[in-house]
Amino acid sequence: MNVAARIGAGHDTQSVLVAQGITKSFPGVLALDNVDFFVRPGEVMALLGENGAGKSTLIKLMAGFYSPDAGSILVDGMALVADPAAAHRAGVATIHQDAHLVPAMSVAENILLGRWPTNEFGWIRRRDQKARAAAALARVAPHLSPSTLAGRLSSADQQLVEIARAISEDSKVLIMDEPTTSLSPPEIDRLFEVVNDLKSKGMGIVFVSHWLEEVFHISDRVTVLRDGKLVGSRPIAELDHDTVIRMMVGREVRATEVPKRPIGDVVLRVQDLSRENVLENISFEVRAGEIVGMAGLVGAGRSEVAACIFGIDPYDSGTVELAGRTVRPNDPSSAIGAGIGLVPEDRRQQALVGLLSVRSNVTLSLLDQFSTFGFLSMAKERMIADREIKALSVKTSSPATRVSTLSGGNQQKVVLARWLARKPKLLILDEPTKGIDIGAKAEISELILRLAEGGMAILLISSELPEILTLTDRVLVMRSGRISASLDKAEATSEAIMSFATKG
Ligand SMILES: Nc1ncnc2c1ncn2[C@@H]1O[C@H](COP(=O)(O)OP(=O)(O)OP(=O)(O)O)[C@@H](O)[C@H]1O
Ligand SMILES: [Mg+2]
């Protein structure tokens, strides 16, 4: 059977990358099941699907990280071998989910990391290195200097440096796994300008996103995976939001209904919290059963407030009280003891122990609750963990699976599950649905509401205005380390929030 016949309508011989009949399994998981996929030069293709659908696995195969159990991948008609360096030479440039630069290295060093040009004696040729880095940088981020330390750059500029590192003169396809999750809206616009520029030069672009607005904004075609199977690949012009969601989830996703609930006594009281150059006179309260939103641009200081309350970061002055008790500064165990839970933004890095099982990661913070004279009740641990894993529909072959083998979004759910199991008095959620698929987003919204109904006080930090607008009772807007507004339900509109986030 020839390739065109197998892939069916829509595929043509111009495709720069063609994957046919790809099957890939891991112990206990069929991650991809006979998937066909293609990218044409000069098109932007969004690869969509729920957490664990197989997107990152497909990307790793195209990047030469894994070899398929069955099927093959052709780049410009040539078979790809499972070797990342060979895939890169063949023209496949990839930015993986959670790619990071080395903060203490310069932009140029980061760009050339892993492929330093050497002379015939194996010595690194410094001058060549600089010239190559400069050329790559000029293509995507001419405003950056090659000698700046990567750690000094904003996440948006770091992303551009990653693109500069990924592409080379002969890159034919650029593949990005969730490139926009840590960018603010203007930064996403800038990334998309670069994407459009590369596209106009004939590069094929593949990107993964859980944010449909941007998918509709930038892509020409979408390919949807569900449970490792190809659902379909269609031009975006033929599709609307609801159709795409149905393709991904296989069912309707209902809008969350927010019921009225009683608001109780003050649980968290923060007074005049200040930290030099970071936070200035932060004061607010969160009551039992109340969901308080915290909006603002990336870098406005929202995560820093959470870090101070939770005792991860020190503060110069001010007080944090929980249910009338002062929480000791700079002491997370005092915060946890008082009944504060924090689901951090950078969940996988800060919160998971990769080598431990999914179940142990859920019960990590529960040790004191379950132990009788220091012994952990295994049965109890198991029961609670399994219940939460189920409640959040974490996709794992078993609760005993190592957490590091879960898909990105499912790892995030594990951290959420841990705090849900512990039932704190105050739960701080920092961007809880970042990297989470559309179906699970709705589930997490429902969960937040159920916790509030049960009397938990919730501080919800989010950059997604729809999430803030539907779920919260009150919105604090932050700008440059201060609270620039406190808006009640009636006052909190997107316009008002954006205006207080950017000026005033
Ligand atoms: N190295 C691995 N070992 C075992 N299982 C794995 C491994 N990598 C992926 N899996 C499993 O394969 C399935 C697909 O995972 P993949 O990372 O491709 O999902 P994804 O679509 O990228 O999801 P997300 O949106 O959450 O990032 C999941 O069930 C995952 O647990
Ligand atoms: Mg992924």
Side-chain angles (χ1 to χ4, degrees), residues 363-491:
T363 50
L364 214 55
S365 67
L366 293 170
L367 297 179
D368 51 330
Q369 277 182 10
F370 290 147
S371 51
T372 320
F373 312 113
F375 291 103
L376 190 67
S377 155
M378 294 292 278
K380 202 162 173 189
E381 173 193 325
R382 200 169 269 221
M383 192 192 72
I384 298 203
D386 295 1
R387 185 185 69 210
E388 299 300 339
I389 291 167
K390 219 167 137 202
L392 280 173
S393 36
V394 176
K395 196 180 173 209
T396 175
S397 47
S398 126
T401 304
R402 261 187 202 182
V403 81
S404 57
T405 68
L406 260 52
S407 81
N410 281 298
Q411 294 189 18
Q412 312 220 23
K413 290 189 195 173
V414 171
V415 184
L416 268 171
R418 176 192 305 166
W419 286 109
L420 298 181
R422 183 164 181 116
K423 305 220 182 332
K425 293 192 187 86
L426 167 79
L427 182 60
I428 307 174
L429 298 159
D430 197 351
E431 306 283 1
T433 61
K434 190 175 112 177
I436 299 270
D437 70 57
I438 286 206
K441 263 183 196 166
E443 284 161 24
I444 287 171
S445 299
E446 294 283 343
L447 256 164
I448 292 174
L449 285 169
R450 252 193 285 143
L451 294 172
E453 272 174 340
M456 202 181 279
I458 293 180
L459 181 63
L460 173 65
I461 301 173
S462 174
S463 296
E464 288 198 22
L465 283 182
E467 189 166 279
I468 290 261
L469 293 173
T470 45
L471 285 179
T472 62
D473 303 300
R474 207 150 49 78
V475 183
L476 305 169
V477 188
M478 283 198 69
R479 192 179 68 87
S480 313
R482 293 151 151 261
I483 293 181
S484 56
S486 168
L487 308 170
D488 64 28
K489 188 101 201 159
E491 299 167 314

Side-chain angles (χ1 to χ4, degrees), residues 305-335:
V305 171
C308 285
I309 296 175
F310 198 66
I312 300 171
D313 282 358
Y315 43 92
D316 305 328
S317 57
T319 52
V320 175
E321 270 176 36
L322 202 93
R325 252 172 72 191
T326 303
V327 179
R328 270 200 305 277
N330 211 359
D331 178 4
S333 61
S334 167

Side-chain angles (χ1 to χ4, degrees), residues 329-355:
N330 211 359
D331 178 4
S333 61
S334 167
I336 294 173
I340 304 179
L342 169 68
V343 177
E345 181 178 13
D346 195 355
R347 289 178 273 280
R348 272 165 281 166
Q349 293 242 321
Q350 293 182 9
L352 289 174
V353 185
L355 287 176

Side-chain angles (χ1 to χ4, degrees), residues 91-388:
V92 184
T94 315
I95 300 175
H96 294 282
Q97 197 168 2
D98 286 319
H100 288 292
L101 299 178
V102 183
M105 283 178 138
S106 74
V107 166
E109 285 165 335
N110 267 286
I111 290 176
L112 293 153
L113 201 67
R115 47 195 182 98
W116 310 77
T118 52
N119 64 15
E120 58 270 45
F121 305 111
W123 296 97
I124 292 167
R125 299 207 322 241
R126 289 239 156 225
R127 224 172 324 136
D128 270 21
Q129 174 196 337
K130 280 215 173 111
R132 283 208 203 181
L137 204 58
R139 286 184 74 181
V140 295
H143 62 291
L144 296 180
S145 149
S147 55
T148 309
L149 282 188
R152 294 255 167 80
L153 302 178
S154 68
S155 29
D157 282 338
Q158 295 196 16
Q159 194 91 57
L160 295 177
V161 173
E162 274 163 28
I163 296 177
R165 168 161 77 182
I167 62 174
S168 61
E169 296 81 60
D170 8 81
S171 292
K172 299 178 178 103
V173 197
L174 171 63
I175 305 176
M176 296 182 283
D177 199 349
E178 302 197 28
T180 60
T181 32
S182 51
L183 305 187
S184 67
E187 293 172 334
I188 292 173
D189 288 344
R190 221 172 68 209
L191 173 69
F192 285 172
E193 272 172 36
V194 170
V195 164
N196 276 325
D197 181 54
L198 296 172
K199 164 184 157 164
S200 71
K201 291 180 176 129
M203 206 180 280
I205 317 272
V206 178
F207 84 109
V208 174
S209 170
H210 290 292
W211 190 230
L212 281 190
E213 267 69 27
E214 70 188 30
V215 168
F216 275 90
H217 177 68
I218 186 95
S219 54
D220 301 301
R221 200 156 54 83
V222 300
T223 296
V224 179
L225 299 178
R226 194 198 309 150
D227 289 332
K229 294 191 179 63
L230 176 70
V231 177
S233 178
R234 291 167 64 182
I236 195 90
E238 293 175 3
L239 300 168
D240 57 32
H241 276 73
D242 289 352
T243 314
V244 175
I245 291 172
R246 258 198 313 278
M247 287 170 82
M248 285 195 293
V249 186
R251 59 183 158 82
E252 301 286 337
V253 176
R254 284 178 300 116
T256 306
E257 284 192 28
V258 182
K260 280 239 171 295
R261 74 200 108 77
I263 305 286
D265 295 339
V266 171
V267 172
L268 172 72
R269 176 174 285 132
V270 175
Q271 265 173 323
D272 281 325
L273 205 68
S274 290
R275 181 173 181 199
E276 206 183 343
N277 295 325
V278 182
L279 298 175
E280 209 182 318
N281 294 97
I282 303 291
S283 298
F284 66 95
E285 292 174 352
V286 186
R287 293 170 171 271
E290 193 182 27
I291 305 176
V292 173
M294 200 172 244
L297 301 180
V298 173
R302 295 169 301 165
S303 298
E304 286 73 10
V305 171
C308 285
I309 296 175
F310 198 66
I312 300 171
D313 282 358
Y315 43 92
D316 305 328
S317 57
T319 52
V320 175
E321 270 176 36
L322 202 93
R325 252 172 72 191
T326 303
V327 179
R328 270 200 305 277
N330 211 359
D331 178 4
S333 61
S334 167
I336 294 173
I340 304 179
L342 169 68
V343 177
E345 181 178 13
D346 195 355
R347 289 178 273 280
R348 272 165 281 166
Q349 293 242 321
Q350 293 182 9
L352 289 174
V353 185
L355 287 176
L356 288 182
S357 70
V358 172
R359 183 184 284 136
S360 311
N361 268 282
V362 172
T363 50
L364 214 55
S365 67
L366 293 170
L367 297 179
D368 51 330
Q369 277 182 10
F370 290 147
S371 51
T372 320
F373 312 113
F375 291 103
L376 190 67
S377 155
M378 294 292 278
K380 202 162 173 189
E381 173 193 325
R382 200 169 269 221
M383 192 192 72
I384 298 203
D386 295 1
R387 185 185 69 210
E388 299 300 339

